[in-house]
Amino acid sequence: MSLDHRCIASREKGRRAVGSTGQVVGDYPDQERCGLLHVGENSRTIGIDYPYDLTIYGDMKSPMKRSEVPSLDDLRAFQTVARLGSVRAAAAELALTHGAVSRRVSKLATDLGLRLLEADGRGVRLTSDGAKLAEATGKAFHLITDALAEIRSSSTPIPIILSCGRSLAMRWLIPRLSGFQDRYPDVEVHLSTGGGGLDFARDRVTLAIRRLDFLVDPEWTIIRLMPERVGPVMLPSLHKRFESGDYVALGARTRPDAWEAWLDAHMDAPRPRTTRLLDHHFLMAEAALGGLGVALAPQAIAADDVANGRLEAPLGFDRDGTDYGLIHPKSIIVSSGLSALRDWLTAESEGSFKRQVLENS
C-alpha cells in the first residue's frame, strides 16, 4: 500500500492543502489544526497522527502565514518584467514563453488582489502597488543571491568561471593560461566563451573579458585591460603584393565594415582587389597564416604571431575607439583566487600590448 499526504479539506471539499510535506490543514472552523494524514489507495482515511495547532507552532517564527506568501516563480517573473519593462524581454531572459510569463504575472496579481501592471504601448508600466512590490522583490532577490554567494564562497572553494570572446580566448588567453595555473595551482579556472552583454547570475559567470562596445550595467566593476587596436597582418611573403594592391582582404562577419572604415582612415593604403569575410576573427587569422590574404586583425588576435615573426604588421595597429575590459558584479565577494586572476590578467595584457606598441611606434 502506498501512502499519500492529503488535506481533509482538499480531499473532501476540493481545497488546497497548506503546510509542508507530511502536514495537512484540517477543515476546522475555529482554528487551523495540522496533522499527518495517512490515505490508502482507495482514498479512505487510515488515521491522523500528531495533530497540532498551526497558528501556535507553524507560524511562530514566520513573519507571515504560509498561505500569504506568493509563489517565488511568480514573483521572479513579475520582478523581471518590472525591471525590463516588457513581458517579451522577460520571457527571453527567463527562457520561458511569452504566455508562461504573462500567466505567472497575472496569477500573482490575482493572488494578491492587486493591479501590478498597466499596458504602455508595446510594453508595460508599473502601478503604484506594482512599483512597491518591484522594489521589494528586487532587494529580496539580491539578498538571496548575495547570501548564496557568501555561503558557497565560505564553504568548499568553487571554480572561477571566466567568460571570454571565442577568438580572444583561442588566440590570446588560452596560450597564456597555463602560466596562471602553474603559479596558482589551487585556483580552479573554467573557461567559457561568449561575447557582448551577459547576465552573471543566469549565465553562472564569475568574471568576463569583453570588448566594451555595448551598454554596461552600473552595478558592474570594470577594469580596462587594453585598447582595441586593428591593422593589416600578413605573411612576410605577401608584403609586396599588399603594397601593389594585389591582395585579398580578409575580414570577420562580426565586423563586416571594418575594412571599409580602415581604408577610409588610411587613404594612402593600397586597396584590395577583393574582400572575403570569415565567420570569426580566429578563422581570419588562420587564413592569413595560410597565405589566403591580408587580415585586418585586432592586435590582441595577432599579437603572438606578429611577435614571433609568423605574421607581420607593416602599418602597425590603430585604436578603433573601444577597449577590452575585465568585468564582474560589484556585489561579488572577491576571493583570493579571483583577486589573483584579476591581477594576473591585467599584468599579462599590459606586458603583451605595451611591448608591441613600443615595437610598432
Side-chain angles (χ1 to χ4, degrees), residues 134-156:
E135 182 181 3
T137 52
K139 291 178 180 178
F141 282 121
H142 274 302
L143 283 172
I144 293 170
T145 301
D146 292 346
L148 289 173
E150 185 175 357
I151 291 168
R152 288 167 179 156
S153 65
S154 63
S155 54
T156 305

Side-chain angles (χ1 to χ4, degrees), residues 162 164-181 191-193 209 304 344-345:
L162 174 61
C164 182
R166 186 180 286 109
S167 294
L168 186 64
M170 294 182 68
R171 304 285 301 176
W172 182 80
L173 179 58
I174 290 175
R176 291 166 170 74
L177 201 53
S178 62
F180 176 81
Q181 297 285 217
L191 185 60
S192 171
T193 58
I209 300 174
D304 291 343
W344 178 83
L345 286 168

Side-chain angles (χ1 to χ4, degrees), residues 143-357:
L143 283 172
I144 293 170
T145 301
D146 292 346
L148 289 173
E150 185 175 357
I151 291 168
R152 288 167 179 156
S153 65
S154 63
S155 54
T156 305
I158 58 175
I160 297 171
I161 311 299
L162 174 61
S163 174
C164 182
R166 186 180 286 109
S167 294
L168 186 64
M170 294 182 68
R171 304 285 301 176
W172 182 80
L173 179 58
I174 290 175
R176 291 166 170 74
L177 201 53
S178 62
F180 176 81
Q181 297 285 217
D182 291 342
R183 188 172 176 182
Y184 300 96
D186 295 331
V187 179
E188 188 175 356
V189 178
H190 292 181
L191 185 60
S192 171
T193 58
L198 74 164
D199 183 317
F200 284 91
R202 180 194 65 203
D203 301 334
R204 299 180 180 272
V205 169
T206 315
L207 189 66
I209 300 174
R210 287 291 188 272
R211 180 170 172 248
L212 302 175
D213 59 349
F214 59 93
L215 187 64
V216 298
D217 193 312
E219 295 302 315
W220 292 349
T221 293
I222 300 174
I223 302 170
R224 297 190 182 274
L225 290 179
M226 63 270 188
E228 174 73 302
R229 296 185 175 92
V230 297
V233 298
M234 65 208 75
L235 290 177
S237 60
L238 290 182
H239 191 160
K240 289 184 178 180
R241 292 176 61 181
F242 171 70
E243 290 182 332
S244 67
D246 182 25
Y247 70 95
V248 175
L250 301 174
R253 288 193 173 89
T254 51
R255 302 185 205 173
D257 302 323
W259 263 107
E260 182 179 354
W262 186 87
L263 289 169
D264 287 344
H266 298 79
M267 299 302 295
D268 296 334
R271 267 49 187 167
R273 53 186 172 85
T274 188
T275 300
R276 183 178 303 166
L277 297 180
L278 293 95
D279 286 342
H280 301 285
H281 279 106
F282 72 87
L283 294 175
M284 179 190 68
E286 288 298 323
L289 286 166
L292 297 181
V294 176
L296 188 65
Q299 184 183 16
I301 304 301
D304 291 343
D305 290 315
V306 172
N308 63 30
R310 296 178 68 194
L311 294 175
E312 65 175 39
L315 300 182
F317 299 91
D318 302 317
R319 290 199 61 165
D320 76 346
T322 62
D323 296 273
Y324 286 99
L326 196 58
I327 309 170
H328 64 74
K330 290 179 180 178
S331 60
I332 198 172
I333 297 172
V334 179
S335 64
S336 58
L338 179 56
S339 178
L341 182 58
R342 284 193 321 189
D343 294 344
W344 178 83
L345 286 168
T346 303
E348 280 294 315
S349 64
E350 289 177 352
S352 297
F353 300 111
K354 280 187 177 178
R355 183 168 57 249
Q356 286 210 0
V357 169

Side-chain angles (χ1 to χ4, degrees), residues 20-202:
S20 59
T21 303
Q23 298 174 349
V24 296
V25 177
D27 189 25
Y28 299 91
D30 57 334
Q31 60 182 351
E32 290 178 299
R33 300 185 63 197
C34 192
L36 183 63
L37 175 64
H38 298 277
V39 179
E41 292 178 341
N42 59 2
S43 298
R44 292 183 59 189
T45 301
I46 298 173
I48 303 177
D49 299 325
Y50 311 116
Y52 62 86
D53 188 340
L54 183 62
T55 60
I56 296 176
Y57 295 100
D59 285 352
M60 185 176 292
K61 296 182 180 180
S62 175
M64 61 194 305
K65 294 180 181 180
R66 274 169 282 191
S67 58
E68 295 176 350
V69 181
S71 160
L72 283 179
D73 286 338
D74 296 347
L75 287 170
R76 186 177 178 221
F78 164 73
Q79 204 281 325
T80 307
V81 172
R83 175 165 49 83
L84 298 177
S86 165
V87 176
R88 190 176 301 279
E93 180 171 308
L94 296 172
L96 296 171
T97 64
H98 181 284
V101 173
S102 182
R103 284 191 295 273
R104 288 186 180 183
V105 175
S106 296
K107 178 177 174 294
L108 176 64
T110 300
D111 289 345
L112 297 177
L114 299 172
R115 245 187 116 183
L116 302 175
L117 299 171
E118 295 176 340
D120 184 21
R122 293 191 174 183
V124 292
R125 68 169 177 265
L126 295 167
T127 63
S128 59
D129 289 332
K132 292 177 184 177
L133 183 59
E135 182 181 3
T137 52
K139 291 178 180 178
F141 282 121
H142 274 302
L143 283 172
I144 293 170
T145 301
D146 292 346
L148 289 173
E150 185 175 357
I151 291 168
R152 288 167 179 156
S153 65
S154 63
S155 54
T156 305
I158 58 175
I160 297 171
I161 311 299
L162 174 61
S163 174
C164 182
R166 186 180 286 109
S167 294
L168 186 64
M170 294 182 68
R171 304 285 301 176
W172 182 80
L173 179 58
I174 290 175
R176 291 166 170 74
L177 201 53
S178 62
F180 176 81
Q181 297 285 217
D182 291 342
R183 188 172 176 182
Y184 300 96
D186 295 331
V187 179
E188 188 175 356
V189 178
H190 292 181
L191 185 60
S192 171
T193 58
L198 74 164
D199 183 317
F200 284 91
R202 180 194 65 203

